[in-house]
């Protein structure tokens, strides 16, 4: 089990451990169908080829998990092994057949991929969102069951608020998760796509993007005109953004000021209040 997943599959899906002893059956490659609930959208072709070469030499060491669907079988766990086996031109693969409904199938597929810890940030965010919806869990409950921190869950899920084009840029590794979180701090959301393009074109790091976002936000009309923040204020503002995982603005006048912390939902507000406490 991957580090940080704590209770993992057994906690979210009691009685369905993938390590338990079950009868292994050889199934024809032609009988297998991909998982419609597969959270992974991107499969590394180089890694698949390497796995294929290993399978040619050593065979498939761990069976795939499937469920019966008509005259065929749908993959629940092990799509990478299935794809690599096809590359290796195998005719059969070892499989464990389980009786699962659609919700159980989705849960196992998502959890297996989360345990691998090589999903893109967007795939991981979508997986968390699907689990919360399927199991009626809050971010806090999901974090507890997976052994993750609530800010970790929240910071990923917030990425889903980005425009689709920007989410694709994160999945393609043109932008980092840090870039995505910083872009969400733009007051004018319509500026997010063009700002993201500027980041890629000019190879801006997260700190440079933070400064750009701050300048763009200062151009947004306000009731009062803010004075340029000194380096100390900018540094503290950046620290608070990292801590709370959201846009934070420090407004300072002569001898007083205020801190504005942005939130996107009641649940996000609860997360921030917990951090404040």
């Amino acid at each position: 089990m991957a580090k940080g997943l704590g209770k993992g599959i057994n906690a979210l899906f009691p009685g369905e451990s993938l390590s338990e002893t079950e009868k292994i059956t050889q199934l024809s490659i032609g009988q297998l169908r991909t998982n419609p609930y597969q959270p992974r959208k991107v499969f590394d072709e180089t890694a698949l080829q390497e796995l294929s070469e290993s399978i040619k030499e050593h065979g498939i060491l761990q069976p795939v998990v499937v469920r019966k669907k008509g005259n065929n079988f749908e993959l629940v766990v092990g799509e990478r092994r299935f794809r690599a086996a096809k590359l290796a031109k195998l005719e059969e693969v070892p499989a464990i057949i389980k009786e699962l409904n659609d919700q159980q199938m989705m849960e196992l597929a998502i959890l297996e991929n989360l345990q691998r810890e090589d999903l893109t940030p967007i795939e991981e965010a979508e997986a968390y969102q699907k689990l919360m919806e399927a199991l009626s869990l809050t971010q806090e409950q999901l974090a507890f069951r997976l052994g993750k921190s609530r800010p970790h869950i929240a910071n990923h899920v917030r990425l889903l608020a980005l425009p689709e084009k920007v989410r694709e840029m994160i999945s393609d590794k043109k932008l980092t998760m840090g870039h995505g979180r910083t872009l969400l701090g733009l007051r004018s959301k319509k500026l997010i796509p063009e700002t993201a393009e500027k980041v890629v074109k000019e190879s801006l790091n997260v700190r440079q993007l933070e400064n750009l976002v701050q300048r763009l936000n200062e151009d947004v009309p306000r009731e009062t005109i803010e004075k340029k923040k000194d380096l100390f204020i900018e540094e503290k503002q950046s620290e608070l953004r990292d801590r709370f995982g959201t846009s934070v603005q420090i407004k300072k006048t002569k001898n007083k000021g205020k801190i504005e912390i942005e939130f996107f939902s009641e649940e996000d507000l609860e997360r921030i209040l917990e951090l404040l406490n």
Side-chain angles (χ1 to χ4, degrees):
M1 184 172 292
K3 182 179 179 182
L5 271 173
K7 303 172 180 65
I9 288 177
N10 287 331
L12 278 164
F13 197 9
E16 287 294 346
S17 171
L18 296 183
S19 63
E20 63 190 23
T21 303
E22 296 188 57
K23 182 179 178 181
I24 298 176
T25 304
Q26 292 293 326
L27 294 179
S28 166
I29 283 279
Q31 288 183 284
L32 301 182
R33 302 290 180 266
T34 56
N35 186 341
Y37 304 106
Q38 167 65 254
R40 186 183 304 278
K41 304 297 189 299
V42 180
F43 289 85
D44 188 303
E45 293 299 327
T46 301
L48 279 178
Q49 190 60 52
E50 291 174 353
L51 181 56
S52 175
E53 294 301 321
S54 175
I55 286 174
K56 287 179 183 178
E57 183 175 354
H58 304 291
I60 297 179
L61 303 181
Q62 183 179 0
V64 299
V65 178
V66 301
R67 73 167 181 175
K68 192 82 166 63
K69 188 73 171 179
N71 295 323
N72 297 306
F73 296 87
E74 285 184 336
L75 283 160
V76 180
V77 172
E79 187 163 333
R80 287 181 71 256
R81 276 164 276 159
F82 165 68
R83 289 172 179 256
K86 288 181 69 175
L87 285 176
K89 300 188 183 304
L90 295 190
E91 294 183 357
E92 294 182 329
V93 295
I96 293 173
I97 302 172
K98 287 181 175 285
E99 292 185 8
L100 303 170
N101 59 34
D102 287 351
Q103 180 173 310
Q104 292 170 325
M105 182 177 180
M106 179 190 71
E107 292 164 22
L108 278 179
I110 290 174
L111 287 166
E112 191 263 350
N113 276 286
L114 284 174
Q115 288 182 335
R116 293 185 56 83
E117 293 190 333
D118 60 354
L119 295 175
T120 68
I122 299 301
E123 288 173 336
E124 188 173 345
E126 291 173 340
Y128 292 146
Q129 187 64 41
K130 286 180 180 178
L131 281 174
M132 287 188 291
E133 291 174 356
L135 303 179
S136 299
L137 297 174
T138 64
Q139 289 182 1
E140 184 175 4
Q141 290 169 331
L142 182 63
F144 174 76
R145 295 195 182 192
L146 291 179
K148 301 280 187 181
S149 69
R150 181 170 176 177
H152 177 90
I153 302 291
N155 288 335
H156 276 78
V157 172
R158 286 184 64 240
L159 295 177
L160 300 180
L162 289 166
E164 182 178 356
K165 183 178 180 181
V166 179
R167 298 199 303 270
E168 289 176 357
M169 294 168 80
I170 294 175
S171 293
D172 293 339
K173 299 182 179 180
K174 295 178 181 179
L175 297 175
T176 67
M177 180 175 171
H179 284 118
R181 289 170 54 189
T182 304
L183 286 168
L184 285 169
L186 278 167
R187 281 192 164 85
S188 177
K189 303 306 179 188
K190 66 181 182 181
L191 293 177
I192 290 180
E194 63 183 83
T195 306
E197 292 284 0
K198 181 179 178 67
V199 170
V200 174
K201 184 178 180 180
E202 300 181 13
S203 300
L204 302 182
N205 60 34
V206 175
R207 181 53 63 87
Q208 289 170 325
L209 175 58
E210 287 176 349
N211 292 334
L212 174 60
V213 167
Q214 181 179 315
R215 291 197 300 272
L216 291 172
N217 283 343
E218 287 175 346
D219 290 337
V220 175
R222 304 182 182 200
E223 293 181 2
T224 58
I225 299 175
E226 294 180 28
K227 293 183 179 180
K228 186 176 180 181
K229 298 176 177 66
D230 58 32
L231 292 177
F232 175 79
I233 293 295
E234 289 182 7
E235 180 181 351
K236 295 306 175 184
Q237 188 169 256
S238 179
E239 289 177 5
L240 289 173
R241 283 177 183 157
D242 290 340
R243 173 169 175 74
F244 293 111
T246 189
S247 174
V248 177
Q249 297 290 326
I250 299 177
K251 298 180 178 180
K252 182 176 179 295
T253 55
K254 288 184 178 180
N255 297 313
K256 62 180 182 178
K258 61 182 178 181
I259 300 174
E260 291 184 354
I261 304 174
E262 189 174 70
F263 62 90
F264 295 86
S265 65
E266 289 184 5
E267 196 166 62
D268 200 29
L269 174 60
E270 289 177 8
R271 173 184 68 85
I272 292 170
L273 291 176
E274 283 185 8
L275 290 172
L276 288 170
N277 290 333

